Amino acid sequence: MVTYSKNHLKLHIFGENDIEGLISLSQSVGWDYDGSDIQTILSCGKIFGHKNEFDQIVSSAAIIPYDTDLASIGMVIVNPGYRGQGLGKDTTKACINSVSNQTSIMLIATPEGKPMYEKMGFKVVGDVHKFICNNYVPSNGFPDEGLKAEALQEADLDKVFELDKNAFGDFRRKFLTNRIKQSHQSLVLRNEMGSVLGFGLSVLGPCHLILGPIVAPNDSAAAYLLNQLALNHKGKLRIDLPPRDETFMNHLRNSGFEKVSQPPIMIINSERMPTRNNHLYGIAAQVFG
């Protein structure tokens, strides 16, 4: 492998004209960010990174600030030929410096990145369970509370924002608005009175139909939402779960999912995760925390 020096590399803030270059960078490490993902990140956050003397993007890191005092870092990528020169650290620092030092910043680390984040002051506060499904087994079960999944309407947005805030730990209005626009399917969970008790999104990526965020009042309601999102999809599925007990994970296994990794959640400027109500059953994607 050819290795290049750090000379002539400049740190940039990327924009829409850089989307193709960011896709190429993602592909250089075997990741599957596509234009829609990057557009959503740019719509509610910033992406920093280096370009070489040929105007090629060789590193990146994204930060998505949420509505009050929480942000998420992701998409930390360094082209293999430029590793070992501190580019990942430089881009992550740029992300951290772009928000207030009162902002709690979370990320989901790769095994390669975890030592660097620890040196920068991030602490492990949990983990995420990544599940992949090649052949989905539909569920015949339905919640016994009279719940029904229906297409999300504009009138539902304020309630969805509130449900997500209580499940995730901060309001994410701008992010969710853009993620819903990107979604393949957006559902809300209504009770017999018409009240919205949960919601779920699916996003079609290059390799998988990504299920999440999924917010539901209990395991059976979450399983029902997942089934409605996954039903009739012929390709691979992916869901990333925040920390929870084995009950829902066993449902996933019975539905054809297999756990493939368990990366750590890390945080800086705080000692713990934000307060959550345990209703988050699937995160949007690792870059969004």
Side-chain angles (χ1 to χ4, degrees):
M1 180 180 69
V2 178
T3 302
Y4 302 91
S5 74
K6 192 175 179 178
N7 297 335
H8 310 298
L9 300 181
K10 294 183 179 180
L11 189 66
H12 295 258
I13 301 177
F14 297 131
E16 291 189 1
N17 292 337
D18 297 300
I19 288 177
E20 289 302 318
L22 289 164
I23 292 171
S24 296
L25 176 66
S26 170
Q27 291 171 342
S28 76
V29 296
W31 291 7
D32 60 355
Y33 283 97
D34 64 9
S36 296
D37 280 331
I38 295 169
Q39 183 66 60
T40 296
I41 294 168
L42 289 171
S43 70
C44 51
K46 293 180 180 179
I47 305 177
F48 297 89
H50 295 87
K51 288 185 177 180
N52 64 17
E53 62 269 36
F54 306 109
D55 207 38
Q56 296 168 325
I57 298 174
V58 298
S59 74
S60 71
I63 185 162
I64 298 92
Y66 295 121
D67 292 17
T68 49
D69 54 6
L70 181 65
S72 178
I73 287 178
M75 203 179 176
V76 181
I77 307 171
V78 177
N79 181 288
Y82 288 82
R83 288 176 179 168
Q85 303 177 64
L87 302 188
K89 183 178 180 181
D90 289 348
T91 54
T92 304
K93 274 188 174 180
C95 289
I96 294 170
N97 293 337
S98 72
V99 298
S100 162
N101 59 11
Q102 302 301 311
T103 301
S104 300
I105 304 172
M106 61 183 296
L107 57 82
I108 297 170
T110 62
E112 299 82 10
K114 183 172 177 282
M116 177 189 78
Y117 299 130
E118 287 175 331
K119 290 178 182 177
M120 297 179 73
F122 284 87
K123 297 179 181 179
V124 175
V125 290
D127 48 26
V128 165
H129 306 266
K130 176 182 174 181
F131 280 81
I132 301 293
C133 178
N134 294 321
N135 296 290
Y136 179 66
V137 180
S139 171
N140 295 320
F142 294 92
D144 56 9
E145 298 91 348
L147 302 180
K148 184 178 180 181
E150 298 179 348
L152 188 154
Q153 305 295 326
E154 187 173 353
D156 300 321
L157 284 176
D158 285 343
K159 185 60 178 179
V160 165
F161 295 153
E162 180 187 348
L163 289 168
D164 183 74
K165 187 265 180 185
N166 293 330
F168 178 78
D170 198 356
F171 274 114
R172 304 190 288 177
R173 297 177 182 89
K174 190 173 184 179
F175 160 67
L176 281 174
T177 300
N178 285 282
R179 193 66 165 177
I180 289 166
K181 291 177 183 176
Q182 184 192 352
S183 67
H184 175 69
Q185 195 173 12
S186 302
L187 299 176
V188 292
L189 197 63
R190 296 189 193 279
N191 65 12
E192 293 174 330
M193 303 298 293
S195 300
V196 175
L197 303 185
F199 73 95
L201 308 182
S202 65
V203 173
L204 192 58
C207 301
H208 307 94
L209 181 69
I210 300 167
L211 308 177
I214 293 176
V215 173
N218 52 53
D219 290 355
S220 63
Y224 170 57
L225 262 179
L226 179 142
N227 187 65
Q228 299 306 109
L229 293 167
L231 209 58
N232 301 321
H233 180 69
K234 302 302 181 185
K236 296 181 178 180
L237 303 168
R238 172 176 172 173
I239 183 169
D240 291 7
L241 275 68
R244 44 186 335 105
D245 60 35
E246 286 290 320
T247 305
F248 189 71
M249 287 192 276
N250 284 334
H251 170 77
L252 290 179
R253 294 183 182 100
N254 292 335
S255 300
F257 285 84
E258 177 184 358
K259 187 162 81 169
V260 295
S261 65
Q262 190 172 324
I265 304 169
M266 306 185 75
I267 201 164
I268 197 171
N269 299 338
S270 179
E271 294 297 319
R272 61 186 64 84
M273 289 287 288
T275 301
R276 295 178 168 183
N277 63 5
N278 204 36
H279 289 185
L280 185 63
Y281 282 83
I283 67 173
Q286 294 191 10
V287 63
F288 300 116

